Amino acid sequence: MAWHDDWEAHVVAGGEEIDAMLFAKRPLMAEAMLRVFFEAYEIVADVLRDAPADVGQRELTEMALGVGRQYVAQTRVRSSESVSTLLFATARQVVADQI
């Protein structure tokens, strides 16, 4: 990611910005490998946006699993691999590290 100028802003912008950033370097596997992380992190972010501030780890994971299944059914995420308790745990850790 260090190859990209201001990559954090592109990730925050989401969707097409991420696609454009990945396309610029034309990585052969990065999109396939990173997409599930971005989608899982998006699911957790969506859940956290509506969750109470004192939401527990287990409750957050359960809500994220529900939202993730809904996103798969609505084709808002490309793969059901994004709906993973392991990926949700790393997303929670990213949030915790930001606080």
Side-chain angles (χ1 to χ4, degrees), residues 16-94:
E16 292 180 19
E17 287 284 328
I18 293 171
D19 291 341
M21 181 178 60
L22 293 174
F23 185 76
K25 293 296 180 183
R26 297 182 189 258
L28 298 178
M29 292 299 296
E31 181 176 356
M33 299 301 289
L34 294 175
R35 181 167 300 282
V36 294
F37 286 94
F38 286 129
E39 290 177 344
Y41 289 15
E42 178 183 17
I43 291 166
V44 170
D46 288 350
V47 169
L48 283 172
R49 185 177 40 228
D50 297 327
D54 61 345
V55 66
Q57 187 172 343
R58 173 174 265 179
E59 185 181 8
L60 177 64
T61 300
E62 289 173 7
M63 290 188 306
L65 286 170
V67 169
R69 288 184 195 111
Q70 177 184 350
Y71 283 10
V72 169
Q74 294 172 334
T75 64
R76 288 182 62 177
V77 295
R78 288 192 184 177
S79 170
S80 61
E81 292 177 20
S82 301
V83 183
S84 159
T85 57
L86 181 60
L87 292 176
F88 295 158
T90 59
R92 280 192 319 272
Q93 188 60 49
V94 168

Side-chain angles (χ1 to χ4, degrees), residues 4-13 21:
H4 301 282
D5 294 330
D6 199 23
W7 67 269
E8 293 98 341
H10 293 284
V11 171
V12 169
M21 181 178 60

